Amino acid sequence: MAKKENFQCTSIGDEHTIGSKELLERLNTRAEGLSSEEALRRKERCGANVLEKKKKESLLRKYFKQYGNFFAILLLFGSALSFTAEYLDPGQGNIFIAIALLGVVILNATFTFIQEYQAEKIMESFQNLMPPTARIRRDGNIVELPASEIVVGDIVYLEEGDKVPADGRLILQNSLKVDNSPITGEAEPQLRSLECTHDDMLECRNMVFSSTLVQTGNGEAVIFSTGSDTQIGKLSLLTEETTSLQTPIRKELDRFVKIISSIAIFLGIVFFILGFFIQDTFLASLIFAIGIIVANVPEGLLPTVTLALSLASKRMAKRNALIKQLESVETLGSTTVICTDKTGTLTQNKMAVNSVYTGSGYTDAKKDEIPPEMLLRVAVVCNNSRLSDEQPGYRGDPTEGSLLVYIDRFKDIQNLQSEYPRLAEYPFDSKIKRMQVICKTPEGNMDSYLKGAPEVLLEMCNRIMVEEKEKELTEKDKRELENEYLKMAKRGERVLAYAFRKAGEVREYQENFIFLGFSGALDPARPEAKDAINRCYRAGIKVVMITGDHPVTARSIASMVGLTNEKGEPVMITGPELELLSAEELGHRLQARSIIFARTSPLQKLKIVRAFQSAGEIVTMTGDGVNDAPAIKNANMGVAMGSGTDVAKESADMVLLDDNFATIVNAVEEGRTVFDNIKKFIAYILTSNVPQILPFIAFMLLALPLPMNVQLILAIDLGTDILPAIALAVERGEGDIMKRPPRSGKEKLLTPQVLLTSYGLKGPIEAAAGFVCYFAVLTDGGWSWGQQLDVADPLYRQAITAFFAAVIICQIANVFTSRTRRQSVFTKGIFSNRMVLIGIASELLILAFIIFYPFANTIFNTAPIPLEYVLLAVPFALLLFAADEIRKYLINHGSARVRNLLGW
């Protein structure tokens, strides 16, 4: 045996085109296989036959990384300050603040960690595709070994039921059929060959690939690629390396947290220093700094966002859209381009024969008109599908299966197949576009039966069957037949042609066939698809159809579902064109409103996704196969079909349980509503920041007794505000939600308009209500300006209780008016959202608990107050409601400048 240096561990790429003898020499192996010693040396040099994983961080490290964001650091800092204050002056309630802040950080970190951990399951689904054992020729004998032991140069034995353990070139085969769907997406197992049948390795019949399944027959193959060098291994690494993009809502939340945290830290430090110089008391200044930080940070925001997204995902699940990553709910609302498969998504995936055309004219497939006997025979015996009792009535390729279902009305399929047993098969592939079988006739002769693309078969025929008689097929006849074929394709039918000839021997024939006719199978468009696409157009979303069908058929289906541009026809790009287009040319053609990619392979989807993203688009991509996984994961929003592979589902952000395009559009509407609602409850939550911050400023600058303590701030942020905010999260979308263009990437959650509404309009009204109630209690209790009160003084405790109650009363009005951003809340009906009513009830219950329950009085340092002090806040609540309604009126009826100033 030659020296081992003469072979290499990785594929060169021409293993399918060179001779098998040359390949064996290159790999330094023989048909009898390797010796055990040589196999061991090769394993040490090339590695085991396993899919490699990138070195990953430990779970513990990943978990603790969640504590490194701005929000977590700030709250941990506030918790540490509270623990310090408790240590310096025990019994003042700072321990409760410290524990509450720490608890918020732990909950947020744990949830984020769980979400990221789920992403790691993608690699496991690829690992499950690898077989556990394989039969290999070692030392001249066939032995069964773990698949991980296979090395380059091994000879593997394959038979029915085996999963191929690595990529190999066949050197022996006996009626071997392999299901290549995990790699190529082919619906039907394909017959293998020892000869090179295609320039593309993936479509060449002399290849077998790791993770594919042997359906029938047996054979032997020499291995030339193992582990991550195999096709499935490269796909696995590509999917792992193709990082999931950060969701728009995550970017916005990170930005929001940084802004709010920066403001809180800045104010906390500034007022700590000022307080220390003015009051010269470290502890008081420390407590003040804690208060400023806690008052500025909406501690309940992230849990509320999480709950809002979770509730939205549950609503979507009821509409057949299963969301895997919660933050992806909002990504749908930002979508500017939807790239969708045709079959089963825009169509019903119910392929059925719609028409049959012969030299004698059309046969109506919907009636009991029987096509010519010979055409039926060819359609049955030149067919690899089979009838089934399960829906849709067959197993295998939908086009072939629909033929059997159609012919079963007239003929006994099994009897016909047994009368004409198959002697040889020359299978269909995308290069030759035809399938041919040699069958034995009942008379003992042989016939060759041919089925395939019309343009291919017409070139192989020189006669035509007309009313059971043969006649010469002229060029004029061919042109007329081509016109009929195109008419069928324009109706959206998938057209096949049929022919036959006598066979003198078992071999593949290329000419002198007798043309029999065409069949046209139609996969009806989903009735709801047209309306769904129109909704996309009204919402400013571009729709792209990706299919492997002929461009004429694809254009016909596009017309049926309303996939058109402003001037009519959508832009058509075929797979071969896509390969030749430069990035600049492709970018220019992608500017059209509607685009069709025809004769496209699943692996080209990733190129399409990246081209759109380079143009600044937010892309939603659908897919169902293993080879769709990189595109699905790289898209801003990956959508897998419920009928698809596990790997596709693992890579996706959303799974369509009904495979329906309309479900995607419904989900887009839900995503837009989610962003709107998050903005609403951010504006709602921020409003209460003003009456939380101003008491501390008044405490320092005016030497007032502190009008609201930190415990009560947390009671608002983590108690009374939570359920109303969640109620806003489940609010139905406003009437124009799907009439607006997609949200711009420049549109932020936190805008000057949001701050103006919360901090400049509604917040000051709430603060005024709080101070009025606060001073009413103090003055009625005999307090005079400049008088200091101990925190345990009953009058002080009543005063801060009144301030707290006033904020809650105003927040009730705030939650009502926050239900809409731009339209009057009366357009929705005051009581149409029951969750809002439940939220208000929860606010009042918490308020009563904090005012009247002794244990709560101890924790929050409150005291019972007469109802009259609470009612003082009602006029302010009505003023807040009226002020926001006026703002909305000005947005809808004011000048453009006013709309830009007040609208958010």
Side-chain angles (χ1 to χ4, degrees), residues 185-492:
E186 293 171 340
E188 180 65 26
Q190 300 295 328
L191 191 68
R192 299 289 93 186
S193 167
L194 297 182
E195 306 301 323
C196 178
T197 59
H198 202 286
D199 293 336
D200 186 345
M201 180 184 286
L202 289 175
E203 297 201 45
C204 195
R205 302 280 176 185
N206 60 6
M207 293 284 109
V208 288
F209 301 104
S210 176
S211 82
T212 59
L213 186 66
V214 177
Q215 295 283 5
T216 60
N218 56 66
E220 295 187 13
V222 57
I223 299 301
F224 61 85
S225 287
T226 61
S228 296
D229 189 49
T230 62
Q231 294 295 325
I232 197 72
K234 292 173 183 175
L235 186 62
S236 167
L237 287 178
L238 179 61
T239 302
E240 190 178 10
E241 290 168 0
T242 305
T243 56
S244 294
L245 301 179
Q246 190 180 32
T247 61
I249 192 65
R250 173 49 53 190
K251 292 178 183 177
E252 279 306 296
L253 287 173
D254 287 347
R255 176 179 174 273
F256 175 85
V257 166
K258 286 177 182 177
I259 292 174
I260 295 297
S261 300
S262 299
I263 292 172
I265 291 170
F266 174 76
L267 291 177
I269 293 173
V270 168
F271 283 101
F272 172 79
I273 296 171
L274 289 175
F276 184 76
F277 281 111
I278 291 172
Q279 299 188 5
D280 196 26
T281 305
F282 175 80
L283 184 59
S285 300
L286 180 62
I287 294 172
F288 179 72
I290 296 171
I292 285 291
I293 291 173
V294 173
N296 270 281
V297 176
E299 288 81 8
L301 174 67
L302 294 184
T304 305
V305 170
T306 299
L307 284 170
L309 295 173
S310 179
L311 290 170
S313 70
K314 288 179 180 178
R315 290 197 301 273
M316 292 169 70
K318 292 178 181 178
R319 302 175 80 175
N320 294 313
L322 181 64
I323 290 289
K324 292 177 57 193
Q325 301 292 339
L326 291 181
E327 291 176 1
S328 299
V329 173
E330 190 279 328
T331 305
L332 277 164
S334 307
T335 293
T336 59
V337 176
I338 299 177
C339 297
T340 176
D341 291 326
K342 175 186 73 67
T343 302
T345 308
L346 293 174
T347 64
Q348 298 178 32
N349 201 20
K350 295 178 180 178
M351 190 72 72
V353 174
N354 188 61
S355 62
V356 176
Y357 181 83
T358 66
S360 306
Y362 278 98
T363 299
D364 192 338
K366 297 176 182 177
K367 299 180 180 179
D368 289 332
E369 298 177 8
I370 304 177
E373 170 75 23
M374 182 59 78
L375 188 147
L376 295 179
R377 184 196 306 172
V378 175
V380 169
V381 299
C382 191
N383 193 316
N384 284 326
S385 291
R386 58 190 183 278
L387 292 174
S388 168
D389 293 332
E390 301 174 3
Q391 288 296 326
Y394 58 83
R395 290 186 179 181
D397 178 76
T399 307
E400 289 193 334
S402 66
L403 287 170
L404 296 184
V405 171
Y406 169 65
I407 296 170
D408 191 49
R409 294 158 51 187
F410 317 114
K411 291 287 184 180
D412 185 331
I413 301 291
Q414 290 185 340
N415 185 55
L416 195 58
Q417 290 172 333
S418 62
E419 283 183 1
Y420 296 88
R422 189 182 295 183
L423 302 177
E425 176 187 342
Y426 303 96
F428 177 92
D429 68 35
S430 60
K431 183 179 181 181
I432 61 173
K433 297 181 181 178
R434 66 174 188 265
M435 175 184 179
Q436 187 175 167
V437 295
I438 308 297
C439 294
K440 187 176 181 180
T441 67
E443 295 80 17
N445 300 317
M446 291 187 295
D447 283 347
S448 173
Y449 299 125
L450 186 66
K451 177 190 71 182
E455 64 271 22
V456 174
L457 263 68
L458 285 173
E459 292 303 314
M460 299 173 66
C461 296
N462 61 359
R463 286 165 295 162
I464 182 173
M465 186 74 75
V466 180
E467 296 181 355
E468 299 186 2
K469 293 182 181 179
E470 296 179 21
K471 59 171 279 190
E472 182 184 358
L473 182 64
T474 65
E475 290 301 317
K476 180 183 177 182
D477 293 332
K478 288 184 178 180
R479 287 195 298 273
E480 290 178 354
L481 289 171
E482 286 172 357
N483 288 335
E484 293 300 332
Y485 150 58
L486 290 175
K487 286 180 185 178
M488 297 170 75
K490 286 177 181 177
R491 295 198 295 264

Side-chain angles (χ1 to χ4, degrees), residues 856-870:
N857 294 156
T858 303
I859 294 175
F860 296 100
N861 200 39
T862 55
I865 57 174
L867 184 60
E868 62 191 70
Y869 292 116
V870 178

Side-chain angles (χ1 to χ4, degrees), residues 248-256 259 330 334 675-676 678-680 682-683 743-755 821-822 903-904:
I249 192 65
R250 173 49 53 190
K251 292 178 183 177
E252 279 306 296
L253 287 173
D254 287 347
R255 176 179 174 273
F256 175 85
I259 292 174
E330 190 279 328
S334 307
F675 185 82
D676 262 21
I678 290 175
K679 260 198 166 183
K680 290 172 188 176
I682 282 178
R743 179 173 70 83
S744 167
K746 296 179 181 179
E747 184 179 344
K748 308 300 182 184
L749 279 174
L750 189 63
T751 62
Q753 291 86 349
V754 171
L755 291 174
R821 289 172 56 190
R822 295 170 178 265
W904 49 270

Side-chain angles (χ1 to χ4, degrees), residues 683-734:
Y684 168 77
I685 288 172
L686 289 182
T687 297
S688 62
N689 276 12
V690 177
Q692 292 174 6
I693 296 170
L694 288 181
F696 287 90
I697 296 176
F699 165 72
M700 186 191 73
L701 299 180
L702 304 177
L704 289 175
L706 183 61
M708 182 182 278
N709 61 28
V710 177
Q711 295 97 307
L712 290 174
I713 291 173
L714 289 175
I716 294 173
D717 291 350
L718 298 175
T720 60
D721 273 359
I722 294 295
L723 275 183
I726 293 172
L728 293 175
V730 300
E731 191 70 54
R732 291 195 304 270
E734 296 179 45

Side-chain angles (χ1 to χ4, degrees), residues 16-17 186 198 205 244 286 513 544 687-688 789 823 831 835:
H16 61 303
T17 59
E186 293 171 340
H198 202 286
R205 302 280 176 185
S244 294
L286 180 62
F513 279 86
V544 178
T687 297
S688 62
L789 296 176
Q823 298 178 337
F831 304 110
M835 275 293 293

